[in-house]
Amino acid sequence: MLIQRLLTLGALAVALPLCAHQACAHDGTGHKGGRIADAGPYHIELVTRDRTVEVTIYDAKEKAVSPAGFKGTAILVVGGKPARVVLAPAGAGLAGEAEMPLGATPKGVVQITGPDGAAASGKFN
């Protein structure tokens, strides 16, 4: 009985980190090399290059969602000051230009509004 409990606990110890990893599989690096955050029913990927901000929207199964009808705003912290970037559909996602270089991993929030008018936001630390 003790051996059965130990085997069960051992199996849980192995399975739990794997389950946790699967539940957070969207955390980390996205399909385009950016950072991923939850935004309501979506996952959003933030990529910044110089002054350009690109946001790709994914569904719960991590498939890209058409940006048609979406709009957004990125509020990113640069040098201790907020940089507000209006995002509009461009290519496979939303994009906009900041007034200043942003760096590769700025902190901040991206808010998106879907075609149905529902808003959601994702936080990037």
Side-chain angles (χ1 to χ4, degrees):
M1 184 135 169
L2 178 60
I3 292 175
Q4 255 183 334
R5 280 189 180 169
L6 289 175
L7 289 174
T8 302
L9 288 174
L12 284 174
V14 170
L16 192 56
L18 294 174
C19 293
H21 174 72
Q22 290 302 318
C24 298
H26 60 274
D27 291 337
T29 304
H31 300 287
K32 299 184 181 205
R35 295 176 292 156
I36 300 288
D38 288 331
Y42 303 104
H43 305 297
I44 55 176
E45 180 176 6
L46 173 66
V47 176
T48 56
R49 291 185 186 94
D50 192 35
R51 297 178 348 142
T52 303
V53 177
E54 296 175 353
V55 174
T56 305
I57 305 165
Y58 299 98
D59 64 14
K61 295 182 181 179
E62 296 189 21
K63 292 192 181 215
V65 173
S66 170
F70 279 87
K71 60 183 177 180
T73 304
I75 303 170
L76 305 171
V77 179
V78 180
K81 298 179 182 176
R84 189 176 185 89
V85 181
V86 175
L87 304 171
L94 302 174
E97 291 287 322
E99 294 181 9
M100 64 195 77
L102 300 168
T105 58
K107 294 180 181 183
V109 175
V110 173
Q111 181 179 21
I112 59 171
T113 303
D116 61 356
S121 61
K123 186 175 180 180
F124 294 88
N125 294 322

